[in-house]
Amino acid sequence: MLDDVQVASFIDNGYVHIPDAFPRALAAECRAIIWQDLNASPADPGSWPTPAAFRPDYSSTPFVSAAATPRLCSAYDALVGPGRWAPRRSLGGFVIRFPGRETAVLDGWHVDASFPGPDSSPTDYLSWRINIHSKNRALLMLFLFSDTGEREAPTRLRVGSHKEVARILEPEGDAGLDARELAARADPATADLPTAHATGRAGDVYLCHPFLVHAGQPNHGSHPRFLAQPNLEPAQPLRITGPGPFSAVETAIRAAIG
């Protein structure tokens, strides 16, 4: 179980780093499956796609097991609440960043969308929406499936940015904003905040508030970086009004909007 200091840090900073959240051997097994699907070899850089490759959900046992370890389930309970999150039945999508200096579509500062609006396109994820209740998303999760140092394209996190995003979303009500509009507002509003990097070893996980502003970056290292960015769905809608108790995710939103 996360301790009170870690939960308070999540509420204030918008994320918590869970070392050794799933076994390194499991990470290696999953990487081998992805290499095969990419028709590429870790020993042959000439076979690597650049600058990035994207893979959809994986529902096979190694991937599902990585998201369901006792250590992670305990952390989900601590941040979202026991019985208030839905177990993952797959793990994805994956973003694999290969060495090189080219940027990719996910390198701009943004917040991950979680539900389609009436005008959203199923093929245009940036037309999907985010609202103050974080509909359909309890956590943003970053699963490190490879060792990721400062040079291996760690995801950039704007510390505390989830609070400013809550204030942007509150007046938009249930409809919220689409990902493009929210990014256009949230980027300048959070530009002065400190930047953290999601570095660590294969098997580490970062559990992030769903409103956390984040961005990718090129891989300046010599090894590919394997990252999964699954959503943890709520088992019931998040509550930011009415009687408590409130989860850590809800408490952060409530504190931001007063």
Side-chain angles (χ1 to χ4, degrees):
M1 179 67 73
L2 298 179
D3 62 31
D4 291 345
V5 172
Q6 290 172 302
V7 173
S9 177
F10 172 89
I11 292 170
D12 190 43
N13 296 323
Y15 68 93
V16 63
H17 178 196
I18 314 290
D20 301 317
F22 63 98
R24 287 176 62 82
L26 203 54
E29 185 178 353
C30 293
R31 286 199 309 274
I33 294 170
I34 296 171
W35 277 117
Q36 184 175 20
D37 288 350
L38 291 173
N39 195 27
S41 168
D44 180 12
S47 69
W48 299 351
T50 57
F54 304 92
R55 300 297 304 166
D57 273 359
Y58 280 89
S59 58
S60 56
T61 298
F63 296 91
V64 176
S65 297
T69 64
R71 186 169 173 81
L72 278 172
C73 290
S74 174
Y76 303 155
D77 283 348
L79 300 178
V80 182
R84 299 193 60 199
W85 51 273
R88 291 285 317 183
R89 292 180 172 82
S90 63
L91 193 65
F94 272 81
V95 183
I96 303 96
R97 297 298 300 249
F98 295 91
R101 297 185 176 275
E102 296 178 67
T103 58
V105 67
L106 295 176
D107 290 355
W109 293 101
H110 64 282
V111 177
D112 281 13
S114 58
F115 68 96
D119 301 320
S120 295
S121 165
T123 60
D124 179 12
Y125 182 65
L126 294 177
S127 70
W128 282 44
R129 307 186 75 83
I130 307 101
N131 69 14
I132 188 62
H133 306 289
S134 193
K135 181 178 178 180
N136 294 347
R137 185 183 296 273
L139 290 173
L140 164 70
M141 305 192 290
L142 306 176
F143 279 66
L144 275 57
F145 279 84
S146 60
D147 292 346
T148 306
E150 292 285 349
R151 294 182 57 81
E152 282 80 34
T155 302
R156 296 174 290 166
L157 313 172
R158 281 192 173 158
V159 180
S161 57
H162 60 304
K163 293 178 281 190
E164 186 60 39
V165 168
R167 290 188 281 267
I168 293 171
L169 288 173
E170 183 188 20
E172 306 300 332
D174 290 344
L177 296 170
D178 69 33
R180 284 190 179 88
E181 178 62 24
L182 181 55
R185 297 191 197 182
D187 183 3
T190 61
D192 293 335
L193 293 175
T195 299
H197 296 90
T199 58
R201 287 160 42 91
D204 290 5
V205 172
Y206 283 75
L207 300 181
C208 306
H209 195 281
F211 294 166
L212 192 69
V213 180
H214 59 285
Q217 61 176 316
N219 186 343
H220 297 292
S222 57
H223 304 288
R225 184 223 62 185
F226 287 72
L227 176 77
Q229 297 182 181
N231 167 24
L232 186 70
E233 294 188 8
Q236 54 190 256
L238 270 64
R239 304 188 306 265
I240 57 173
T241 59
F246 298 99
S247 70
V249 174
E250 295 162 338
T251 296
I253 298 172
R254 287 168 53 83
I257 63 178

